[in-house]
Amino acid sequence: EQWYQRRVRAPSGRRLAAGGCLLLGNDQDTACVAGPATSEAFGGELYKLNFYSEVLNSTAIQLLSEDRCADTEVEFDSIRVIKWEEVLDETRSGNVQSIDAGCTSLKLIAVMEQDLQQARQNINELKEENNELKIEIEEASIRINTTSTQLETTQLR
């Protein structure tokens, strides 16, 4: 697979104006003023769209794209200027549908697998402790039997 990155830079010293318009899924030329044009609407899916203050290298891009359900982007929070979570909180217009990407159930399964692994480890540790206690009990039983035999022998004399 190849990973592509598009470098878009504003002219030196330019910033987004306060109260500006960030438009996803439509041509911004007129939409920020007159509203979105349905003839130029985006059709498709957007997922975890983040804006960064620096250009990400290909390694970072590949890392971010490997698991759509991982929270890998938080590793880049220091340069993430617009976060996907913030985009989701904004008012949306047009025919926008939110769909479940299945991550909630996948994360739940991952947590359950971790819990299961921890439970198995705890069981193995308890089994080991149980075996150690069995050995201690057997050794104590031998000592008691030996002491009992010695007492009987002493009393018979």
Side-chain angles (χ1 to χ4, degrees):
E1 291 183 24
Q2 285 195 342
W3 304 96
Y4 298 94
Q5 52 186 14
R6 183 173 174 218
R7 297 173 188 230
V8 179
R9 297 178 191 257
S12 180
R14 282 192 64 189
R15 296 174 184 256
L16 290 176
C21 174
L22 173 63
L23 185 69
L24 302 176
N26 209 289
D27 181 13
Q28 85 271 0
D29 293 341
T30 58
C32 288
V33 178
T38 56
S39 62
E40 297 176 349
F42 168 78
E45 296 178 4
L46 295 174
Y47 190 72
K48 288 199 173 186
L49 178 65
N50 292 283
F51 293 81
Y52 299 90
S53 61
E54 299 175 12
V55 175
L56 301 178
N57 63 35
S58 59
T59 303
I61 292 170
Q62 184 170 358
L63 178 67
L64 288 165
S65 65
E66 285 176 349
D67 183 356
R68 71 165 197 238
C69 295
D71 292 328
T72 311
E73 65 275 3
V74 298
E75 295 179 29
F76 301 94
D77 268 355
S78 62
I79 60 169
R80 204 164 54 127
V81 293
I82 298 178
K83 301 174 181 176
W84 176 246
E85 309 85 78
E86 295 168 345
V87 172
L88 293 176
D89 288 339
E90 291 298 317
T91 304
R92 298 176 236 166
S93 62
N95 185 15
V96 177
Q97 297 176 1
S98 293
I99 58 172
D100 179 9
C103 292
T104 303
S105 57
L106 291 175
K107 285 183 181 180
L108 180 60
I109 289 170
V111 168
M112 291 173 71
E113 285 175 346
Q114 287 175 342
D115 289 347
L116 180 59
Q117 184 177 7
Q118 183 63 47
R120 285 182 176 147
Q121 184 177 345
N122 291 346
I123 288 170
N124 287 336
E125 289 172 3
L126 290 171
K127 282 181 179 178
E128 190 174 314
E129 287 177 27
N130 188 34
N131 287 337
E132 290 171 4
L133 288 172
K134 281 183 181 178
I135 292 170
E136 287 180 29
I137 290 170
E138 288 173 4
E139 289 172 350
S141 178
I142 291 170
R143 284 193 305 273
I144 290 170
N145 287 338
T146 302
T147 303
S148 176
T149 304
Q150 288 172 348
L151 282 173
E152 288 175 3
T153 305
T154 305
Q155 289 175 352
L156 291 175
R157 286 187 197 171

